[in-house]
Amino acid sequence: MTAEARLVAACAKVQTTGADEVAIRTLLAGGIDWTAFARMLVERGLTSRAGHTLLRVAPELLPDDISGALRAVVDQTRAANVSLLAQLARSLDAMPSAPAVERVRHAHAAANGALAANPHEPAAWRTLGPAFADLKQLEEAIACYGRAITLALDDAAAALERIAEAVEASDRALALDPGNTAAGRTSIHALLFACDWSRRDEIKDRIGDPLRRGEALITPFNHLAISDSEADNFALARIWARVVPPSAEPLWRGERYYHDRIRIAYISTDFRDTLSVNAIAGGFEGHDKSRFELTAISLNPSDGSETRRRLEAAFDRFIDVQAMSDARVAQMLRDGEIDIAIDLNGYAGNRRNGILAHRPAPIQVNYLGYAGTMGMPFFDYIIADRIVIPEEHHAYYSEKVVYLPDTFFPTDRKRRIAERTPSRAEFGLPESRFVFTCHNTAYKISPEIFDVWMRLLRTVEGSALWLGATDGLASANLRREAERRGVAPGRLVFGPWVAQRADHLARLRLADLFLDTLPYNAHTTACDALWAGLPLLTCRGSTFPARVAASLLGAVGLPELVTESLEEYEALARDLAGDPRRLAALKEKLTRNRDTALLFDSARFTRHLESAYVGMWERYQAGLPPESFAVAP
């Protein structure tokens, strides 16, 4: 284990021991690769917890830039705690005095003190959750359980317990009030990420009926994982759009700007070491700076990673706006006379769609972060390709569609693959049997696709299914589902988590075939597999996220791995597993194409993206309204 990995293990505990603190000081004194350490923390979601420990135990041994970055992340955790505690205090103040209420007040005061001392202590929230539930204040209870989950995600056992508690609290809330949308959303989110399919039909019914009444019981992002209807996705987006209506006083009122360069602002929560931004990082760097002036609007703090430093260097201006209101950020964009504002989140992550609701720019674009329409009138365009949004689907998009010629999805040729390919034994994989794999996030695994995978394991003797690292509840549920389908649970192998992205790419070579999910395909994960030389099999679905892998395979020159039904998908997977020569030929073709295919031609992609921006800008300069168009090859 590297020094960096040992430091993560020592300082990422909720409660450190004296031995841990001695180990931390010893490791820091011996020298740490801070880039590698930061990447490990970010990938495991431990930056804030480890930062708090390091700042408490050995602040004098931290470089100034690392200390500052960690302090900013810890402060954000403290602020989230303070905000929720204040909300809970207001709820208590609104209740009539009673012994039960006083007991919760004491618990609240104790939690306040505990979290002031250690902002990452999930026990404080676990105590408050049941206390509020006993008062029948179930929305407050759910909020406490949710905070406990957030603070304990790195601990699989704790996460299992917390998710179970969240589902239980949600059920109690729904029993008392079937219209409790907060409880419904919490329950659906937890069940999806836990791969708990026991109530999947019930969930679909609970979503469908309110949707037809114009009510939203699920977030648009989670809905993509269970929906095969673009019409439903559009209807849900329009419902959510009501929450963020366009400003009655737009900041941009039709003025035309005349600049030497087109001014572009990219807005994102993820200007860090994340999958989505790693995919487009090469595009940021490849922009023609003689024609485009680039601004990054960062909605989250720095993670101190190499990726963050790389991104900061790629832009003319990199602005951290996490402490600014939506209105203030919008005014800043207007004052800067931004021509084109691109929202890289959409409905994903800790989005701030309210910024563009103020209409700070003449051209506003939905791109990359969310595979669907925003349903909001202040988004003018969505960038796509003809596979993910065929022309007959334009009716389900409030934005005008701009087609890129090869694929809408960016890739980064600078991604490094570790020179050493590990052995299968290191990951618990069978040495001489066929290995299917899927490293998609667990919420993307549907029971329908899992049925296919289990039939393949029953058919292909001795084969294994290698899945990505996930929490204990999801892995336990998936093993149980395998056993129900007549497959030994031991034939499912999970993870483990790997700190370095280069090592993850290298280990993908251990698998024989990547099996995609439906109705939410692999996106960046698919690019990773193809870049590593691992063939990917997909089934083209009927929605944007169900068609992304088809787009990627077309751009890498492997359209023969795109199937049109789950029956065809299963048959091709079975045939490839039984025909080593055919599979080897596919791998050889992928290896040849890697250096010539359109998918990995970052420079070509960036030129096409720039042409899309120019086309939008020229229409605006001519006084024409937004309109769909295609970029020429």
Side-chain angles (χ1 to χ4, degrees), residues 137-473:
Q137 301 297 308
L138 298 180
E139 288 197 19
E140 287 82 356
I142 290 166
C144 293
Y145 289 133
R147 191 71 187 141
I149 291 169
T150 299
L151 295 177
L153 280 178
D154 61 293
D155 182 338
L160 184 150
E161 182 183 352
R162 301 288 74 75
I163 290 174
E165 287 179 359
V167 172
E168 180 184 358
S170 301
D171 288 345
R172 290 172 66 185
L174 290 168
L176 292 172
D177 177 11
N180 188 324
T181 55
R185 288 170 190 159
T186 299
S187 174
I188 291 168
H189 178 86
L191 292 170
L192 284 174
F193 277 79
C195 296
D196 184 341
W197 303 326
S198 60
R199 296 154 60 184
R200 196 170 179 95
D201 290 340
E202 173 194 335
I203 286 174
K204 288 186 176 181
D205 290 340
R206 281 167 49 193
I207 292 167
D209 291 340
L211 183 60
R212 284 184 283 275
R213 295 194 302 267
E215 301 169 5
L217 194 62
I218 188 172
T219 66
F221 186 83
N222 283 342
H223 191 244
L224 296 182
I226 61 175
S227 171
D228 59 4
S229 168
E230 285 284 52
D232 285 352
N233 293 342
F234 184 30
L236 183 63
R238 293 180 71 177
I239 294 168
W240 275 83
R242 299 174 195 159
V243 179
V244 189
S247 172
E249 298 182 1
L251 296 177
W252 177 75
R253 297 175 178 272
E255 303 90 343
R256 294 185 198 171
Y257 303 143
Y258 300 98
H259 307 134
D260 293 336
R261 297 182 291 170
I262 298 176
R263 297 182 182 178
I264 293 177
Y266 287 99
I267 305 168
S268 179
T269 58
D270 291 330
F271 288 126
R272 302 171 292 166
D273 190 11
T274 58
L275 287 176
S276 60
V277 166
N278 269 294
I280 199 174
F284 295 147
E285 293 172 330
H287 269 309
D288 184 348
K289 301 300 172 52
S290 69
R291 300 171 62 209
F292 298 91
E293 181 180 307
L294 303 182
T295 297
I297 302 298
S298 179
L299 305 177
N300 270 347
S302 172
D303 59 359
S305 65
E306 180 183 347
T307 298
R308 174 71 170 216
R309 290 191 289 275
R310 179 183 172 192
L311 293 170
E312 289 174 349
F315 287 88
D316 295 289
R317 281 179 301 281
F318 195 100
I319 306 172
D320 185 336
V321 302
Q322 58 172 319
M324 297 169 59
S325 68
D326 289 352
R328 186 178 169 195
V329 176
Q331 188 63 58
M332 182 181 64
L333 293 172
R334 173 62 184 86
D335 293 344
E337 294 189 350
I338 295 297
D339 294 299
I340 306 175
I342 300 110
D343 185 334
L344 293 175
N345 276 92
Y347 281 117
N350 296 319
R351 58 199 179 274
R352 288 179 59 181
N353 309 132
I355 294 171
L356 296 189
H358 290 278
R359 177 55 81 170
I363 303 165
Q364 301 189 162
V365 182
N366 167 23
Y367 178 49
L368 193 60
Y370 177 71
T373 183
M374 295 299 294
M376 295 176 171
F378 47 84
F379 280 94
D380 304 303
Y381 294 100
I382 183 171
I383 296 174
D385 60 52
R386 293 187 183 278
I387 293 178
V388 294
I389 305 181
E391 289 192 14
E392 59 268 27
H393 286 185
H394 283 206
Y396 307 125
Y397 286 78
S398 59
E399 307 90 343
K400 299 300 181 183
V401 181
V402 176
Y403 287 134
L404 299 188
D406 305 318
T407 179
F408 83 103
F409 206 85
T411 56
D412 181 15
R413 289 193 62 84
K414 293 184 180 180
R415 282 177 300 167
R416 187 177 68 85
I417 302 177
E419 293 183 9
R420 175 182 175 272
T421 300
S423 69
R424 282 188 168 186
E426 291 177 56
F427 292 96
L429 299 170
E431 288 289 353
S432 58
R433 299 292 189 173
F434 198 91
V435 175
F436 298 103
T437 192
C438 178
H439 281 265
N440 289 354
T441 309
Y443 76 88
K444 294 185 178 182
I445 303 174
S446 68
E448 294 80 12
I449 205 76
F450 195 74
D451 286 341
V452 174
W453 293 353
M454 294 304 98
R455 287 196 294 271
L456 289 170
L457 290 186
R458 293 200 305 268
T459 302
V460 181
E461 184 179 357
S463 59
L465 175 62
W466 183 22
L467 300 171
T470 188
D471 68 78
L473 183 54

Side-chain angles (χ1 to χ4, degrees), residues 584-605:
L586 282 170
K587 289 185 176 182
E588 290 172 7
K589 182 178 180 181
L590 177 56
T591 300
R592 290 194 308 271
N593 289 1
R594 204 184 85 145
D595 291 327
T596 59
L598 305 174
L599 179 61
F600 297 118
D601 190 339
S602 299
R604 174 186 170 96
F605 174 85

